[in-house]
Amino acid sequence: MDVNIEDTVDKHFTRLKSEQKKALHKLGIRTIRDLLYHFPARYESAGQTGTIAGISAGAEVTLYGTVRKPDIRRTWKSRRPIAEAWLEDASGKIKMMWFSQPYIAKSLHDGMVVKVSGRVAGTGAKVYLANPTIDKSSIAPDAVHDSLFIKGTEQDETLYPMYPESQGISSLWLMHAIKKVFEAHTHEHIEDPIPADILARYKLPSLSAALIFIHAPQKKSDATAARKRFAFEEVFALQIVMQQRRRALLKEEALPVAVDRKALADFVASFPFPATKAQMHAIEAIVTDFEKPHPMLRLLEGDVGSGKTAVAAATAYLVATSLPKDRIAGTLQVAYLCPTEILAKQHFSTFVSYFRDHPIPIGLITGSECRKFPSRVRYEESAKLSKAAFKKMVANGEIPIVIGTHALIEKSLSFKYFAYAIIDEQHRFGTMHRQKLATKGEIAPHLLSMTATPIPRTLALTLYGDLDLTILDEMPVGRKAVATEVLEPKKREQAYSRVRAELAAGHQVYVICPRIDEPDPAKELALIAKSVKAEAARLQKDIFPRAALGILHSKMKPSEKEETMKRFEDGDINILVATSVVEVGVNVQNATVILIEGAERFGLAQLHQLRGRVLRSTHQSYCFALPESSGETTRERMKAFKNAKNGFELAEYDLAQRGAGELAGGRQWGVSDIAMEALKNIKLVEAARTEAARLVADDPDLKNHLILAARALVADKEMHLE
């Protein structure tokens, strides 16, 4: 079969059904190249493939047969649902049982031919398959007894690749599709993007060998070597992109910022709190960048409550007091991009408080309104403006500092002397947003990206290799650590006692739930977890009848969310029951307790962000994590959450345990799972970075490395899919 690597999959697998084509597209598989780069998520040693008559208790087996009598029943005492079905082949039949997974029975029908893998449980005549994995691909059993290269008779210990699947496309289907591509020797004709000398230097397998090792490993070490190679390839390709960006940046000219360190020191001294050493170090790093002829590209990473906004304000002050080049009037302008309206308004209020004694106009633009400080009527207040009037003032250079949401990057908003772009919670924005903001002026602005999401060093080096990194690793003076407790359901009264004490002291409380509404009990797949609405009703009726409760979740209208938050900030609401929508952009200093229901359902970084909501004042604050399950994994994660002194420690713990996917969400970063695994290996990341820097220095436009240039474009596109 003559196959071109860029040919579409459906051209070569002509019997594909429409739902299979949709499934392939959902998996991102359109070409033969995509198919070969769709790597297994894991491998299973499925045990001996045989007949039902030949099985024995305790064995791991793979069986082929026909499904009979799928049904759902409940256990007599606990009423726990069990899916059941019989598997039948020419030699006999065996019962299959799936505990607490009733939906499996609904996915099966009588007469279906399947492949089943699992452990034989029970004894004697009462053996059964316990929670087996089931493959419903329509492939004949005799074709399946062979792996990719080894005949069924030799393969007792064969590793079966288990791929990310989609309805209609199973691991078995993918295994056999790749087998056909290998039989056509297509993989041997793909040019390797990694130069041969680099492969030799790090003892990495060639592309054609690595493809065989990863899809059809004869032993675990084959798969490990292949995964290391592909991880290096992806990180290397990303580093190539980063090095090219840095090189291009060094050629650009920035608008000169007048650095007056005396005026800056006076401004910082006017803050309502003393700046930390870490803040002063960050401000100095940014100011030093302002003095260079090319634009700054810097990432400011700081834990929740570490004072990133103050650093942004201090550096914005320098820009907003600088004259444009060869001008005797006007000032340079700053744009501060925020992911949510709540956060934009909060930062606007914070900036107004910082700049109250400094006559610098500050603007706010969101989807719902525009405001300007100071008001012409009362200096200490801000005034509402029409969008047209606001945009005209920005375009004329009359508002030096503009804070806003996505409305900030609309085409209709233009700046006169745009010199400094600040992006808050920058991982919530894609490259396109960054580029739109950067092209607001005729000259590239200085860029400061900020994040409170703890990022392990290897992840930062990989994803933000084009940025200089500054870390705020110090908390403001007088800020007490949040006292964190993990409580099992029987001990939740401890949390309620603390809540009552804090309410009596005039403080406020957050209660976080994983869901908005109660699950539909008729749905077998319904997530049984506490909901905002039901929990608020229960707390009001049974636990805190005298407290004023409010609810906040993502399905509320922006105006409703804003009104609820204002009432909470003003103290009209004592207990706010919410989803993780409060994770970012809520700053209520009087809130001192947070209860997190179903804590195991949140990522560790998310839990840390939520805990940060009560890290806003000098009062002692409390966080109670209330997990609904108590498995070993949950216990370990909750222990790490309780004991971690800061977000960075938590980030490194999570990276060591599970890779960065759990911490930051592999999909969120746009980096494949295989590259996420690589981030546990700092040496691999640093090697990729070193090699990329050397190669780009020798061949900036990759004219001698065209295949690598194409691979780098793919990596960049995948990482920044919007």
Side-chain angles (χ1 to χ4, degrees):
M1 156 168 112
D2 184 24
V3 184
N4 183 316
I5 198 70
E6 300 300 347
D7 276 352
T8 57
V9 172
D10 50 0
K11 178 179 174 183
H12 292 280
F13 299 93
T14 50
R15 293 182 185 175
L16 285 179
K17 298 171 185 173
S18 61
E19 61 265 28
Q20 287 179 311
K21 290 181 183 178
K22 281 182 190 172
L24 285 167
H25 278 219
K26 195 173 177 183
L27 292 168
I29 301 172
R30 287 175 171 79
T31 66
I32 300 299
R33 179 190 290 274
D34 295 337
L35 179 65
L36 288 173
Y37 269 79
H38 186 73
F39 300 140
R42 66 182 195 282
Y43 303 90
E44 284 188 359
S45 182
Q48 189 166 0
T49 302
T51 61
I52 291 171
I55 64 171
S56 57
E60 292 285 340
V61 296
T62 297
L63 303 169
Y64 298 89
T66 306
V67 172
R68 298 295 184 204
K69 298 180 181 177
D71 198 6
I72 299 170
R73 69 176 176 87
R74 291 186 180 273
T75 56
W76 181 71
K77 269 190 177 178
S78 65
R79 308 302 295 157
R80 186 182 177 194
I82 297 176
E84 291 184 336
W86 289 88
L87 183 72
E88 184 179 74
D89 69 7
S91 71
K93 64 180 182 178
I94 186 171
K95 184 179 271 192
M96 301 180 286
M97 296 167 70
W98 295 269
F99 301 95
S100 300
Q101 301 173 76
Y103 54 89
I104 289 179
K106 293 185 177 181
S107 71
L108 304 174
H109 62 77
D110 203 84
M112 181 185 280
V113 177
V114 294
K115 168 194 168 185
V116 174
S117 297
R119 187 178 62 83
V120 181
T123 56
K126 292 188 176 180
V127 294
Y128 63 93
L129 290 175
N131 299 311
T133 57
I134 193 156
D135 195 321
K136 294 170 276 192
S137 304
S138 52
I139 295 176
D142 59 342
V144 193
H145 277 258
D146 297 345
S147 76
L148 296 188
F149 300 105
I150 309 167
K151 293 297 176 187
T153 53
E154 305 168 17
Q155 64 163 36
D156 288 2
E157 295 302 318
T158 299
L159 294 173
Y160 283 96
M162 303 303 290
Y163 295 91
E165 302 173 343
S166 189
Q167 193 167 4
I169 294 295
S170 67
S171 283
L172 195 57
W173 189 94
L174 289 161
M175 186 173 112
H176 281 270
I178 290 166
K179 179 183 177 183
K180 288 181 183 178
V181 175
F182 282 164
E183 285 170 348
H185 300 284
T186 309
H187 62 293
E188 295 171 7
H189 303 294
I190 313 174
E191 290 189 70
D192 200 324
I194 304 178
D197 62 321
I198 295 178
L199 289 176
R201 195 151 40 245
Y202 298 101
K203 297 181 174 59
L204 298 171
S206 68
L207 179 57
S208 59
L211 284 168
I212 292 174
F213 284 171
I214 202 160
H215 289 293
Q218 294 193 25
K219 51 188 183 294
K220 282 188 178 177
S221 58
D222 290 349
T224 302
R227 292 181 84 81
K228 182 182 173 185
R229 180 243 140 81
F230 285 115
F232 181 90
E233 179 182 316
E234 188 166 339
V235 175
F236 179 56
L238 283 170
Q239 293 292 351
I240 290 286
V241 174
M242 301 302 173
Q243 294 297 327
Q244 287 182 313
R245 277 198 198 139
R246 281 198 74 83
R247 194 175 181 85
L249 179 81
L250 292 172
K251 292 179 181 176
E252 292 195 34
E253 188 182 340
L255 285 170
V257 175
V259 175
D260 183 339
R261 281 183 166 76
K262 170 74 172 65
L264 176 63
D266 290 344
F267 181 79
V268 172
S270 73
F271 285 166
F273 50 81
T276 64
K277 286 181 184 176
Q279 284 175 317
M280 294 308 297
H281 169 73
I283 291 168
E284 180 56 33
I286 294 165
V287 169
T288 303
D289 284 346
F290 285 164
E291 293 177 313
K292 293 172 183 173
H294 53 78
M296 169 180 75
L297 268 182
R298 187 167 289 278
L299 174 65
L300 180 63
E301 190 183 347
D303 228 331
V304 177
S306 60
K308 294 182 296 299
T309 311
V311 173
T315 51
Y317 168 79
L318 268 191
V319 176
T321 52
S322 293
L323 284 172
K325 195 176 182 181
D326 303 325
R327 305 284 297 190
I328 58 169
T331 68
L332 299 181
Q333 289 172 291
V334 180
Y336 193 147
L337 180 62
C338 306
T340 65
E341 196 159 318
I342 290 174
L343 195 57
K345 289 181 176 179
Q346 184 177 298
H347 285 329
F348 178 65
S349 297
T350 304
F351 264 57
V352 166
S353 69
Y354 289 161
F355 283 81
R356 206 175 286 281
D357 299 328
H358 307 272
I360 297 171
I362 303 168
L364 170 73
I365 179 168
T366 68
S368 61
E369 67 171 340
C370 293
R371 301 192 76 86
K372 174 185 167 288
F373 170 84
S375 160
R376 286 182 181 176
V377 182
R378 297 187 64 179
Y379 178 85
E380 65 272 14
E381 293 179 0
S382 63
K384 206 166 185 177
L385 297 179
S386 70
K387 278 204 170 176
F390 183 88
K391 289 178 179 179
K392 187 177 179 183
M393 291 184 82
V394 175
N396 290 339
E398 295 173 55
I399 304 180
I401 299 174
V402 185
I403 298 168
T405 56
H406 290 74
L408 197 60
I409 54 179
E410 288 174 3
K411 281 185 181 177
S412 56
L413 181 69
S414 60
F415 291 76
K416 191 168 187 179
Y417 304 115
F418 185 34
Y420 187 23
I422 303 169
I423 301 178
D424 199 18
E425 290 304 325
Q426 63 85 42
H427 64 274
R428 297 192 172 215
F429 299 100
T431 299
M432 221 152 68
H433 295 113
R434 198 161 109 178
Q435 286 171 347
K436 280 182 182 176
L437 192 56
T439 52
K440 284 282 177 186
E442 292 177 14
I443 294 177
H446 294 287
L447 175 74
L448 178 68
S449 286
M450 305 197 300
T451 182
T453 298
I455 306 170
R457 183 162 169 256
T458 46
L459 185 60
L461 282 174
T462 303
L463 301 184
Y464 309 115
D466 57 334
L467 304 178
D468 293 310
L469 181 64
T470 299
I471 293 176
L472 288 180
D473 54 3
E474 188 181 356
M475 280 294 171
V477 177
R479 191 69 58 85
K480 295 185 179 79
V482 180
T484 303
E485 291 293 337
V486 178
L487 301 178
E488 57 187 73
K490 291 176 185 175
K491 294 184 178 177
R492 65 173 46 242
E493 185 52 42
Q494 262 182 250
Y496 293 155
S497 294
R498 172 50 59 187
V499 169
R500 290 186 189 99
E502 293 300 306
L503 290 176
H507 296 153
Q508 291 163 280
V509 180
Y510 294 103
V511 177
I512 307 299
C513 299
R515 294 181 58 99
I516 297 172
D517 296 291
E518 281 295 274
D520 180 352
K523 290 183 179 175
E524 300 290 355
L525 278 168
L527 171 67
I528 308 302
K530 291 216 171 189
S531 74
V532 165
K533 293 177 182 177
E535 186 64 3
R538 187 185 75 83
L539 291 173
Q540 185 76 83
K541 183 185 174 190
D542 302 329
I543 314 295
F544 308 112
R546 294 181 183 176
L549 269 78
I551 65 172
L552 186 72
H553 55 75
S554 57
K555 286 186 180 176
M556 291 165 66
K557 293 176 184 172
S559 57
E560 293 172 336
K561 281 194 267 191
E562 189 182 331
E563 185 191 347
T564 300
M565 273 315 305
K566 186 159 190 333
R567 288 178 60 216
F568 190 54
E569 285 173 30
D570 292 345
D572 297 334
I573 292 173
N574 308 130
I575 301 175
L576 184 65
V577 186
T579 57
S580 60
V581 71
V582 301
E583 175 191 340
V584 169
V586 179
N587 182 2
V588 179
Q589 294 194 8
N590 193 44
T592 55
V593 186
I594 185 165
L595 273 63
I596 306 173
E597 297 283 357
E600 79 278 24
R601 299 188 187 279
F602 298 98
L604 282 179
Q606 199 174 20
L607 286 172
H608 184 65
Q609 290 271 31
L610 289 167
R611 176 167 56 188
R613 295 307 104 213
V614 291
L615 190 63
R616 294 293 182 175
S617 72
T618 52
H619 300 298
Q620 178 60 60
S621 51
Y622 305 86
C623 171
F624 295 96
L626 303 162
E628 292 163 354
S629 64
S630 57
E632 189 178 342
T633 303
T634 296
R635 286 197 301 274
E636 284 297 314
R637 290 177 73 243
M638 292 301 108
K639 184 180 175 184
F641 172 57
K642 178 182 176 179
N643 295 337
K645 295 180 184 70
N646 55 55
F648 304 107
E649 193 178 300
L650 205 55
E652 296 298 341
Y653 163 83
D654 227 18
L655 184 64
Q657 295 301 309
R658 273 165 301 282
E662 155 71 19
L663 173 77
R667 295 289 164 263
Q668 171 183 304
W669 297 114
V671 176
S672 75
D673 292 339
I674 208 165
M676 280 291 182
E677 283 177 30
L679 298 180
K680 293 182 182 183
N681 186 344
I682 186 72
K683 287 183 180 176
L684 184 148
V685 172
E686 288 177 340
R689 189 180 171 92
T690 301
E691 293 296 342
R694 184 183 58 77
L695 194 144
V696 169
D698 293 343
D699 184 10
D701 300 319
L702 302 185
K703 288 178 181 174
N704 301 320
H705 299 86
L706 297 178
I707 303 302
L708 176 58
R711 180 67 183 87
L713 279 175
V714 170
D716 191 30
K717 182 183 172 188
E718 286 175 351
M719 190 174 83
H720 295 112
L721 284 176
E722 311 239 356

